């Protein structure tokens, strides 16, 4: 629910103060809130950051799992986050359906994920994810989409809905 730019701003001070998952797991929400304040919903995020860190420490020996089914067992981690992690960290084919991808695809998240996976070669999934993400972020905006300047408007269901 926040921008990548804002998250990147708090990441550096967070990891300077808490360099390991063990450090975050043993911190308190009150300690994390001032660091997370710039990204909003800092109480909720500090709660989940500690909760997920504790789960990683207790259930996985301090190592983040690299398996989709294990990732989504972690508190606050859903399909999108697990797919982003696997694509970014492991460079494994994954399509993460966020609000931008969902808006461009116009369907429910799980159905969209499966339809996109079926429609593209697995080797292209990461590129497809980013293509749709940037399309939704910069062209197919939720307010005032730039339909007149879109190469896909002839096949787009978004432009035709009312």
């Amino acid at each position: 629910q926040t921008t990548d730019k804002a998250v990147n701003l708090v990441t550096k001070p967070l990891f300077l103060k808490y360099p390991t998952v063990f450090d975050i797991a043993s911190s308190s929400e009150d300690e994390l809130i001032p660091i997370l304040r710039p990204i909003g919903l800092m109480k909720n995020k500090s709660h989940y950051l500690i909760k997920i860190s504790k789960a990683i420490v207790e259930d996985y020996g301090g190592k983040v799992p690299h398996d989709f089914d294990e990732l989504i067992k972690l508190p606050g981690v859903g399909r999108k986050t697990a797919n982003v992690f696997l694509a970014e960290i492991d460079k494994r084919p994954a399509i993460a359906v966020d609000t931008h991808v969902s808006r461009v695809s116009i369907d429910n998240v799980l159905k969209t994920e499966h339809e996109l996976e079926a429609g593209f070669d697995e080797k292209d999934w990461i590129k497809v994810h980013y293509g749709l993400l940037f399309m939704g972020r910069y062209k197919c905006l939720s307010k005032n989409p730039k339909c007149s300047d879109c190469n896909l408007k002839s096949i787009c269901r978004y432009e035709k809905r009312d």
Side-chain angles (χ1 to χ4, degrees):
Q1 297 298 316
T2 192
T3 65
D4 294 342
K5 185 177 179 180
V7 170
N8 291 336
L9 287 175
V10 301
T11 302
K12 187 174 182 178
L14 176 69
F15 289 129
L16 279 173
K17 188 166 183 178
Y18 304 97
T20 72
V21 70
F22 298 95
D23 297 321
I24 295 171
S26 63
S27 68
S28 73
E29 291 179 32
D30 289 336
E31 292 172 312
L32 295 180
I33 286 173
I35 297 170
L36 301 177
R37 188 172 309 282
I39 58 175
L41 300 172
M42 59 273 178
K43 289 182 182 181
N44 195 32
K45 289 177 180 161
S46 64
H47 172 77
Y48 273 104
L49 191 53
I50 292 170
K51 201 169 178 178
I52 193 173
S53 297
K54 286 181 178 180
I56 291 168
V57 167
E58 293 167 9
D59 300 336
Y60 301 97
K63 304 255 190 247
V64 177
H66 290 254
D67 174 78
F68 180 85
D69 292 327
E70 295 301 313
L71 285 167
I72 62 173
K73 288 179 186 175
L74 294 170
V77 174
R79 299 184 67 82
K80 180 192 85 167
T81 300
N83 279 325
V84 168
F85 178 85
L86 293 172
E88 288 296 313
I89 303 302
D90 292 350
K91 304 299 182 212
R92 288 184 18 205
I95 296 179
V97 180
D98 64 3
T99 57
H100 303 296
V101 174
S102 182
R103 184 172 54 256
V104 172
S105 305
I106 310 176
D107 232 322
N108 78 58
V109 172
L110 189 55
K111 185 176 179 188
T112 296
E113 182 181 325
H114 292 311
E115 285 181 356
L116 289 170
E117 288 171 349
F120 294 93
D121 288 335
E122 188 174 303
K123 66 179 178 47
D124 297 325
W125 286 359
I126 295 171
K127 290 178 191 172
V128 168
H129 161 71
Y130 279 112
L132 292 170
L133 170 80
F134 292 129
M135 172 87 170
R137 189 178 284 172
Y138 300 114
K139 178 78 69 175
C140 190
L141 308 171
S142 60
K143 295 179 181 175
N144 302 319
K146 300 174 182 174
C147 299
S148 63
D149 185 34
C150 181
N151 294 331
L152 300 176
K153 68 181 174 184
S154 65
I155 62 168
C156 180
R157 293 180 283 177
Y158 185 72
E159 184 182 38
K160 293 172 182 56
R161 73 175 172 183
D162 279 324

